Amino acid sequence: MKILIIRLSSIGDIIQCMSVVTGIKNKFPEAELHWVVRADLASLLKIDPRIDHIWEFDRKEGFSGVFKLGGKLKQEKFDLVYDAHSNIRSNILKLCLCPLSICNVFRKNKLITRHKDRLKRLLLFKFGINLLPKPFKALDSFRKPMLKWNVTEFNTPFDNWQFPDSVQKKIENLVLTKISDDQPWVALVPSAAWELKRWPVKYWQELIKLRQDLRFVVLGGPNDDFCEEIRSVAPDRVINLAGHTSLMESFYTVWRASFVISGDTGFLHAADLFQKPGFALIGPTAFGYPSGDKMKVMEVDLPCRPCTKDGNIICKLKEKKKCMLDIFPDTVAKNIKIN
């Protein structure tokens, strides 16, 4: 049996969609699994040895490249196809593989599609009418279509992720040479694309002060100068990797961590995929909730939440960012439990 998954981007969505691989392999252990992804994000999939073939799409080739790729995929004669993206490009690929879904006439549910509930999203963010599940877990929406294939078991533990040797060696030099194997350490991800989603720097600092029994590794981008402020409160116990690691190296750091605390959805989903214990700091957004049992949600119940898709708005409350400010460091600190 040959199975194709179509998910071209983005980072967080690809990571969440990767959770379906376990379900597919549980149901069809001998299946040959293929995946179509944007070329610049293919490295994410390469850490999972259960994906047999990765078809890389270069968006610079435009729509002609999509049709060309569709012709190649058609020659593979896939038994099952899952469109986990549902956009223009994935629809073109489906048109090549299964024109007008005619293949479903001859084989029921050969082609399945993940739908994005666009109308419900419009009602929420334009009119404040929330018909989405509470909380909304996008990972579950990637798994739901697979019920049509009777794929139901997704939570079988898997830990055989295969990161490049260069990635492992770099993190070993930056982190593992400074923290012994018997010392638990916590990965902190204080950054987020929009300020509204960020936990205050002083809260991160207070958290580190409260848990003097732990070591911390801070992850962030090259412009996240505030990460050094976080490190400065306990430089003997905190390693700042902001700006020093690639995305893949940061994900490897998450995998090696004992515990993960993050408000950034991409890293939350990575921790969820790796079945890491940790906390998701959820503020104004409707999305980003983890689905695994080990990643717990820290949030404040306010009538104005959720108010945005990604945090790209101005808070309308008199007390700005109350949804983040009322997640207090002492609450987070006392609930960190590492086996």
Side-chain angles (χ1 to χ4, degrees):
M1 176 177 285
K2 297 174 73 171
I3 299 174
L4 176 67
I5 296 174
I6 304 171
R7 181 70 219 190
L8 306 173
S9 62
S10 58
I11 293 171
D13 287 323
I14 290 173
I15 292 171
Q16 291 181 94
C17 189
M18 287 173 71
S19 71
V20 307
V21 173
T22 296
I24 290 173
K25 287 298 184 178
N26 282 337
K27 180 66 177 179
F28 310 107
E30 303 302 321
E32 183 179 306
L33 183 58
H34 294 231
W35 192 308
V36 182
V37 68
R38 215 170 66 194
D40 57 318
L41 298 174
S43 61
L44 294 173
L45 300 175
K46 292 177 182 178
I47 69 172
D48 192 337
R50 299 170 297 177
I51 301 174
D52 300 288
H53 189 95
I54 298 172
W55 297 84
E56 299 183 22
F57 166 71
D58 189 347
R59 56 182 172 178
K60 294 179 182 178
E61 296 180 1
F63 289 112
S64 63
V66 182
F67 280 104
K68 183 178 179 181
L69 176 59
K72 293 179 180 179
L73 293 173
K74 187 173 181 60
Q75 295 177 12
E76 295 291 327
K77 298 180 180 180
F78 292 104
D79 297 285
L80 298 173
V81 177
Y82 176 27
D83 176 10
H85 204 128
S86 188
N87 71 349
I88 294 176
R89 289 184 174 89
S90 71
N91 285 332
I92 291 175
L93 293 176
K94 285 191 296 186
L95 184 64
C96 297
L97 293 166
C98 180
L100 304 177
S101 298
I102 194 171
C103 59
N104 282 354
V105 174
F106 301 102
R107 179 170 183 175
K108 186 177 181 181
N109 294 326
K110 174 178 179 177
L111 170 66
I112 60 174
T113 301
R114 172 185 179 254
H115 299 288
K116 299 180 179 179
D117 291 324
R118 290 183 174 90
L119 177 58
K120 292 181 180 179
R121 295 184 186 211
L122 176 67
L123 289 173
L124 173 58
F125 298 123
K126 291 296 184 181
F127 304 102
I129 301 172
N130 192 358
L131 300 180
L132 293 169
K134 301 177 184 179
F136 179 81
K137 298 180 179 180
L139 187 147
D140 292 343
S141 72
F142 282 102
R143 295 175 173 179
K144 184 178 179 180
M146 310 212 79
L147 294 175
K148 294 179 179 180
W149 293 348
N150 294 319
V151 175
T152 58
E153 181 50 61
F154 299 94
N155 296 320
T156 304
F158 179 80
D159 202 36
N160 189 29
W161 306 103
Q162 296 184 358
F163 290 87
D165 290 340
S166 59
V167 169
Q168 299 183 48
K169 290 178 180 178
K170 181 173 180 178
I171 300 306
E172 286 172 0
N173 290 331
L174 291 174
V175 177
L176 303 180
T177 56
K178 302 174 184 178
I179 301 177
S180 62
D181 291 338
D182 61 344
Q183 290 179 308
W185 53 280
V186 180
L188 305 180
V189 189
S191 185
W194 301 102
E195 173 62 29
L196 197 61
K197 292 176 62 179
R198 294 181 181 177
W199 211 38
V201 169
K202 63 181 180 180
Y203 280 24
W204 292 105
Q205 293 174 324
E206 185 63 23
L207 170 64
I208 291 169
K209 293 177 183 177
L210 289 169
R211 290 304 301 261
Q212 297 185 23
D213 58 316
L214 296 174
R215 290 178 175 266
F216 300 87
V217 175
V218 183
L219 297 170
N223 297 321
D224 295 332
D225 298 333
F226 54 85
C227 290
E228 185 57 28
E229 295 181 51
I230 295 172
R231 188 196 75 89
S232 66
V233 298
D236 58 322
R237 294 188 294 113
V238 183
I239 299 172
N240 178 19
L241 296 185
H244 298 290
T245 56
S246 66
L247 182 65
M248 182 62 66
E249 291 160 353
S250 296
F251 283 159
Y252 179 72
T253 304
V254 167
W255 183 49
R256 291 299 302 267
S258 306
F259 200 89
V260 181
I261 303 176
S262 175
D264 178 272
T265 54
F267 285 92
L268 285 176
H269 299 323
D272 220 6
L273 179 67
F274 299 148
Q275 298 184 325
K276 285 291 174 179
F279 294 145
L281 307 178
I282 304 294
T285 60
F287 311 123
Y289 284 86
S291 296
D293 295 333
K294 295 183 178 181
M295 182 63 63
K296 306 299 182 183
V297 174
M298 291 285 183
E299 63 181 340
V300 178
D301 187 17
L302 295 173
C304 57
R305 294 184 58 237
C307 63
T308 176
K309 175 187 175 184
D310 53 20
N312 184 21
I313 64 169
I314 298 175
C315 182
K316 298 178 181 179
L317 294 183
K318 183 177 181 180
E319 185 179 346
K320 303 298 181 185
K321 288 179 62 173
K322 184 176 175 63
C323 58
M324 294 302 291
L325 292 174
D326 281 5
I327 304 173
F328 299 110
D330 58 338
T331 302
V332 176
K334 70 182 181 183
N335 283 287
I336 299 176
K337 294 179 174 59
I338 299 176
N339 295 329

